[in-house]
Amino acid sequence: MNPILRLIILNVCVIFTLNSFSQKGAEFYYQDAVFKEEIKSVQAFREGFELSYPIYELGADANLLFKFDDLSGDAKNYYYTIVHCDASWNESFILQNEYLEGFYENPVEDYAPSFNTPMAYVNYHIRIPNEKVRPTRSGNYALVVYEGQDKEKLVLTRRFQVLNQKVRVAGLVKRATFDPFKGDNQEVDFTIYHEKLEIVNPREEVKVVVMKNRRWDNAIKDLKPLFIRDRELVYDYDKENVFPGGNEYRYFDIRTKRYNGENVLSTSFHRPYYHVTLMPDQVRANKKYFGYKEMNGKFVVESQDRVEDYDTECDYFFVHFTLPLEAQLVGGTVNVFGALTDWNANKSNEMTWNFEKAAYELTLLLKQGYYNYQYVYVPQGSSKADDTVLEGSHYETENEYQIFVYYRGMSGRYDELIGYQLLQADF
């Protein structure tokens, strides 16, 4: 099948994540999701730090920057609003005027058309906070973008967080203590110090989320303190706080049209678009660990060609992935996974089995840049992507862990984000 046609067919489905965007009465579960096939390259980070997580401290002189491209080619009348969420990303039961200062609905006014690219698009920017709207309370938030002031016409939703640091979090990542089988797991031990915050019932008032490499699908969310000491909550478990070590992310470089970057087999122009074929990959399960520095699944939009503005002058390529296997995996799907797919495994990044070549194949439309990715297996009916089946798992793998601490007092009406810590597993 023509790769362009196949890509269009795959993307016709509205793009949902593993846990579907749902409505239950007045409750909404917000996640990183795209609802229009022409929306690409969605990014969210602290302005000036493209690889950073979208979190900022309440009252700080900083901005979060949200970017996305619309490949329909025409500028659209997009609007956005901001929604406060609880620790589980359901909409909080507080009014917008209680957590937002300014206007609750605003037009997306910062946009520009692409320049000198075969694939025409419009690039959009949203900064939070800005002169029109500013969050005033800490917690989880969702940026909701929609078309023409009609909130039924969803374009995308993107998570971010506002921190009001009231506690201190210290911890470490080590080889799992209780790991008698494969020895490939990592344990995240940490302590919350709350010298300045009175917590009456920490098992009920405090919620902790531990996340590995920005993946919400397999985050640990139900930990309770193992020990409660004077102004200290200790989470020093042996099994409940354990993650598979996994493997380093694969990578490829498509920052230029002039020659083949790292792990690129060929770059060609088939009028009117560029096509990039990556080197055929190999299954890495049951192979020895080989360490190298990568970006823990993230990507950056960049160009090594003569351009002045990456946002509007970087082109789009059809990127072809190939994973040979002895036989097709049954009972689930194989997906390309990472920030390039919004950390989601769905129809848009599900690979197709080629019987003649005995290989899984997928074509993604990606903007020029440097990318990390992995191959994951998603069992039928599961909400978690398993990266160990095809990538293997090793305790030595360099991973990034994030610890979020939420607090809601006995009379509280919403979940505050009062603590945050980033830990590195680097053995």
Side-chain angles (χ1 to χ4, degrees), residues 161-256:
Q161 285 153 308
V162 177
L163 171 67
N164 186 8
Q165 191 87 43
K166 295 183 178 180
V167 300
R168 181 168 54 91
V169 184
L172 59 88
V173 183
K174 64 181 183 180
R175 188 174 185 176
T177 304
F178 184 78
D179 199 2
F181 301 108
K182 296 182 180 179
D184 58 5
N185 290 335
Q186 295 178 346
E187 179 180 319
V188 184
D189 294 329
F190 58 97
T191 300
I192 299 172
Y193 299 91
H194 58 101
E195 296 95 339
K196 299 180 181 180
L197 178 64
E198 184 70 32
I199 301 177
V200 178
N201 186 353
R203 295 186 183 276
E204 297 299 326
E205 296 176 335
V206 176
K207 297 178 182 177
V208 171
V209 174
V210 184
M211 184 170 66
K212 173 187 170 185
N213 294 335
R214 307 194 183 192
R215 288 183 56 181
W216 288 99
D217 66 313
N218 65 354
I220 296 175
K221 305 174 183 178
D222 54 358
L223 283 180
K224 302 294 183 183
L226 183 62
F227 303 108
I228 300 175
R229 299 171 181 162
D230 183 27
R231 303 290 176 173
E232 294 182 13
L233 306 178
V234 181
Y235 297 78
D236 189 7
Y237 287 94
D238 292 334
K239 292 182 288 185
E240 292 83 351
N241 54 345
V242 168
F243 291 81
N247 210 337
E248 308 296 352
Y249 278 80
R250 305 171 192 257
Y251 58 92
F252 62 90
D253 184 351
I254 55 170
R255 290 178 291 176
T256 181

Side-chain angles (χ1 to χ4, degrees), residues 126-351:
I126 301 172
R127 288 173 173 83
I128 302 294
N130 56 55
E131 66 279 1
K132 292 185 177 180
V133 63
R134 176 181 298 273
T136 59
R137 296 179 186 263
S138 68
N140 289 347
Y141 282 86
L143 175 74
V144 182
V145 180
Y146 47 95
E147 187 174 353
Q149 293 185 283
D150 185 352
K151 293 181 181 178
E152 296 297 318
K153 295 181 178 180
L154 284 174
V155 175
L156 64 89
T157 55
R158 190 66 29 168
R159 293 173 171 179
F160 70 96
Q161 285 153 308
V162 177
L163 171 67
N164 186 8
Q165 191 87 43
K166 295 183 178 180
V167 300
R168 181 168 54 91
V169 184
L172 59 88
V173 183
K174 64 181 183 180
R175 188 174 185 176
T177 304
F178 184 78
D179 199 2
F181 301 108
K182 296 182 180 179
D184 58 5
N185 290 335
Q186 295 178 346
E187 179 180 319
V188 184
D189 294 329
F190 58 97
T191 300
I192 299 172
Y193 299 91
H194 58 101
E195 296 95 339
K196 299 180 181 180
L197 178 64
E198 184 70 32
I199 301 177
V200 178
N201 186 353
R203 295 186 183 276
E204 297 299 326
E205 296 176 335
V206 176
K207 297 178 182 177
V208 171
V209 174
V210 184
M211 184 170 66
K212 173 187 170 185
N213 294 335
R214 307 194 183 192
R215 288 183 56 181
W216 288 99
D217 66 313
N218 65 354
I220 296 175
K221 305 174 183 178
D222 54 358
L223 283 180
K224 302 294 183 183
L226 183 62
F227 303 108
I228 300 175
R229 299 171 181 162
D230 183 27
R231 303 290 176 173
E232 294 182 13
L233 306 178
V234 181
Y235 297 78
D236 189 7
Y237 287 94
D238 292 334
K239 292 182 288 185
E240 292 83 351
N241 54 345
V242 168
F243 291 81
N247 210 337
E248 308 296 352
Y249 278 80
R250 305 171 192 257
Y251 58 92
F252 62 90
D253 184 351
I254 55 170
R255 290 178 291 176
T256 181
K257 309 170 185 176
R258 294 178 285 114
Y259 54 83
N260 296 331
E262 289 183 280
N263 295 321
V264 173
L265 179 64
S266 65
T267 303
S268 57
F269 183 72
H270 300 285
R271 192 171 300 276
Y273 304 122
Y274 282 91
H275 289 254
V276 170
T277 300
L278 302 182
M279 295 285 188
D281 284 308
Q282 295 181 350
V283 174
R284 297 191 292 175
N286 300 319
K287 290 189 176 183
K288 291 184 178 180
Y289 172 74
F290 177 73
Y292 53 86
K293 292 296 182 182
E294 31 82 277
M295 302 185 296
N296 290 320
K298 298 184 281 290
F299 72 89
V300 292
V301 172
E302 288 182 354
S303 176
Q304 293 179 333
D305 301 324
R306 290 187 175 182
V307 302
E308 295 183 2
D309 186 349
Y310 293 158
D311 289 330
T312 58
E313 296 181 59
C314 283
D315 204 359
Y316 273 86
F317 299 157
F318 286 95
V319 181
H320 306 277
F321 297 79
T322 305
L323 179 65
L325 275 180
E326 293 183 0
Q328 182 180 9
L329 297 180
V330 298
T333 64
V334 174
N335 296 65
V336 174
F337 190 80
L340 78 171
T341 63
D342 285 335
W343 306 102
N344 301 322
N346 50 50
K347 285 294 182 181
S348 69
N349 52 64
E350 180 182 324
M351 305 189 79

